[in-house]
Amino acid sequence: MGTAGAVRGRGGAGLLRLVQTVSSTRAFAKVAPHVIPALDRAVHRLTRGRVLPSARLLPGVVLTSTGARSGRPRRTPLACMPEPDGSGWILVGSNFGRPGHPAWTHNLLAHPDASISRQGEDVPVTALLLTGAERAAVWQALLAFWPPYAVYQGRVERELRIFRLTRAPEGA
């Protein structure tokens, strides 16, 4: 599976390499968590879920999970890798290569039933933390999809959490 066709279609391989290079920097890791999610949330809300600015670079979703401690809904815009067969989505708890697992990963571990908003559609999902050989295989696909994940993993001692989201059964 290749990297985001959205980038290739809107500026070519040069833009893709530039975005990957910039997103691999420590400066990006310091600034992006404060800017990108806020912009994504605002535009997503204003367009009633039809537009997610960061999804112009990578496929993305807005995850609604249940707070691990609070029990309240938490909305988090995230990049995702769609499964090749269309059966679900892969999320990486990279936290832009910063220490500490992102809060949304704790939420999914505590409450795996969640939903995503994707292209104006709300989809109930179930999250599964990948481990072992399954995680290793998906990790290789993720590195082909978005090489900066290797840089993020190299900056931290923790293992980046990888989740597979699948559509929840009807009526669940």
Side-chain angles (χ1 to χ4, degrees):
M1 173 181 302
T3 305
V7 172
R8 286 199 175 112
R10 291 187 182 91
L15 176 59
L16 176 61
R17 282 190 300 279
L18 175 64
V19 169
Q20 289 175 345
T21 299
V22 169
S23 68
S24 296
T25 65
R26 290 186 187 274
F28 183 84
K30 287 182 181 181
V31 174
H34 305 287
V35 175
I36 294 173
L39 177 64
D40 274 348
R41 277 188 200 96
V43 172
H44 190 260
R45 186 176 54 249
L46 290 171
T47 63
R48 295 186 177 98
R50 292 185 307 275
V51 178
L52 189 64
S54 64
R56 294 186 58 85
L57 299 173
L58 281 172
V61 298
V62 174
L63 172 71
T64 302
S65 58
T66 301
R69 289 189 299 241
S70 72
R72 294 182 176 168
R74 301 293 184 207
R75 296 177 53 80
T76 310
L78 298 166
C80 70
M81 182 180 80
E83 295 271 22
D85 62 2
S87 64
W89 303 266
I90 301 295
L91 301 179
V92 180
S94 69
N95 206 10
F96 297 97
R98 298 177 330 165
H101 294 290
W104 65 264
T105 68
H106 297 286
N107 296 345
L108 289 181
L109 289 172
H111 305 284
D113 293 326
S115 67
I116 59 171
S117 175
R118 184 177 169 278
Q119 299 172 338
E121 177 189 11
D122 289 329
V123 180
V125 295
T126 302
L128 173 68
L129 177 67
L130 300 183
T131 60
E134 184 177 24
R135 184 198 183 280
V138 170
W139 178 248
Q140 292 307 308
L142 282 163
L143 293 179
F145 177 76
W146 191 245
Y149 284 136
V151 174
Y152 299 163
Q153 181 61 80
R155 281 193 201 134
V156 297
E157 293 182 21
R158 66 184 173 88
E159 181 177 77
L160 302 184
R161 291 176 175 160
I162 301 173
F163 289 86
R164 172 174 281 126
L165 302 183
T166 55
R167 286 182 185 267
E170 293 291 323

